[in-house]
Amino acid sequence: MPPPPLLPRLSPTPPPPLRARDRGRPSPGGRGRPTLLAVARAKGKDEASFADRILDYIEGGPKLRRWYGAPDLLPKDGGAEDEEAESPDIEEPRDAVLVTDGDSEIGQMVILALILKRARVKALVKDKRSTEEAFGTYVECMVGDMEDKSFTKKALRGVRAVISPADDGFFSEPIDLKGVEHIILLSQLAVYRNSGGLQAIMNSKLKKLAERDEEMVLASGIPSTIIRTGSLQSTPGGERGFDFTEGVAAKGRISKEDAATICVEALDGIPRKTLIFEVANGDEKVADWKAWFAEQTKRDEEIQ
């Protein structure tokens, strides 16, 4: 029997409207999960993609926002940003997850996986308007320069974990990460190092950013999970298992959906120091990611 998909797949038939007594109750067959059109395309007109399946819920109105745990929309005049401008030093509970490069395809997949876990999400994006139109109140979009200390402080306010799903150089420059409890870095450094010829020239900048990101994360002193993946592919997730063999990242491949899911599942497995592993799609099945990360952390600590 094939393993269940990591990110839920739905029937192409739209789910019926939620009734009051059904709110908060999982629907049969995993229905009732959100998605975003900008992330992926359906494989066929009769099969909804991971992205297509969340759209109705993101745009479902106040009833669905309450059912899904999101706050009501703020009025256009005034709101959270005005309050933050007035009280820049306000303390917040550290319960948010900050996603860097939220405009990228893999970044959006990570955001969607976090939404499915009902996590509080903040995202660094370049186009705030389009991201807000796509995600609504499920995500707090941040636009600015991380070299600006005031913006950095605002972006990291209330953040307990940072997920960097792309080699965007987020950690390339020193950043005040005080209060952050966990860093999750998705790295394709092995892929860049293994490339040759024209591809190596094209990847040279990304290689430098990836190297710098890993160096800075390791030097941060913050518990970190570095996930070295094979080449990221725009293929459906949850259809294959995994290969965690050392060296597999250099030549292996992995679905972006699977990679995004691993990033989010890593939130529940905070290492004491740093956990580094390689992964590509393969034949090994992982039924319980929390148990898997606990085992890897224990094994890594015994080696150290």
Side-chain angles (χ1 to χ4, degrees), residues 159-175:
V159 170
R160 67 179 178 88
V162 176
I163 298 180
S164 183
D167 297 300
D168 58 354
F170 176 77
F171 298 103
S172 294
E173 299 298 330
I175 301 173

Side-chain angles (χ1 to χ4, degrees), residues 9-263:
R9 300 191 166 279
L10 302 183
S11 162
T13 305
L18 288 173
R19 294 167 295 180
R21 65 174 178 273
D22 294 330
R23 191 175 302 152
R25 183 183 303 171
S27 54
R31 294 179 183 175
R33 300 293 190 186
T35 190
L36 176 68
L37 289 173
V39 178
R41 301 293 181 187
K43 291 186 291 183
K45 66 180 181 179
D46 293 328
E47 183 177 355
S49 72
F50 167 59
D52 298 330
R53 292 188 305 274
I54 199 172
L55 185 61
D56 288 341
Y57 281 84
I58 286 181
E59 298 181 345
K63 179 184 291 185
L64 292 182
R65 282 197 295 273
R66 287 195 299 270
W67 177 82
Y68 208 73
D72 289 334
L73 291 170
L74 293 171
K76 292 184 178 180
D77 294 328
E81 291 188 358
D82 292 338
E83 292 175 4
E84 289 185 32
E86 294 174 3
S87 305
D89 296 322
I90 188 172
E91 290 294 329
E92 295 182 15
R94 287 198 173 272
D95 58 357
V97 179
L98 176 67
V99 180
T100 72
D101 201 11
D103 297 292
S104 66
E105 184 178 9
I106 182 70
Q108 291 184 352
M109 288 181 176
V110 169
I111 290 172
L112 294 178
L114 288 168
I115 290 174
L116 292 176
K117 289 177 74 73
R118 301 193 181 189
R120 179 186 167 206
V121 185
K122 301 179 77 171
L124 296 179
V125 299
K126 297 179 181 67
D127 189 340
K128 183 175 181 178
R129 180 175 180 179
S130 64
T131 306
E132 287 182 338
E133 288 176 350
F135 291 106
T137 58
Y138 291 98
V139 180
E140 183 180 349
C141 302
M142 314 291 294
V143 180
D145 185 355
M146 290 302 291
E147 294 184 7
D148 181 344
K149 292 184 178 180
S150 62
F151 174 74
T152 301
K153 186 174 183 180
K154 178 181 177 182
L156 293 172
R157 186 181 301 146
V159 170
R160 67 179 178 88
V162 176
I163 298 180
S164 183
D167 297 300
D168 58 354
F170 176 77
F171 298 103
S172 294
E173 299 298 330
I175 301 173
D176 184 2
L177 296 169
K178 182 180 178 181
V180 174
E181 302 169 1
H182 191 191
I183 296 173
I184 299 169
L185 176 66
L186 189 71
S187 173
Q188 289 199 87
L189 182 56
V191 176
Y192 303 143
R193 285 177 172 172
N194 190 58
S195 60
L198 180 61
Q199 195 66 38
I201 297 174
M202 295 173 63
N203 289 338
S204 61
K205 183 178 180 180
L206 290 173
K207 177 185 173 183
K208 291 179 181 179
L209 289 175
E211 288 175 338
R212 184 64 173 163
D213 275 348
E214 287 203 15
E215 289 173 2
M216 295 299 287
V217 168
L218 290 172
S220 70
I222 298 172
S224 306
T225 302
I226 299 179
I227 307 167
R228 293 174 177 162
T229 72
S231 178
L232 295 173
Q233 306 294 304
S234 297
T235 55
E239 296 188 349
R240 298 188 60 193
F242 300 93
D243 184 349
F244 301 100
T245 307
E246 184 176 352
V248 72
K251 297 182 179 180
R253 299 181 177 185
I254 186 170
S255 158
K256 290 179 181 178
E257 287 188 17
D258 287 345
T261 299
I262 294 173
C263 285

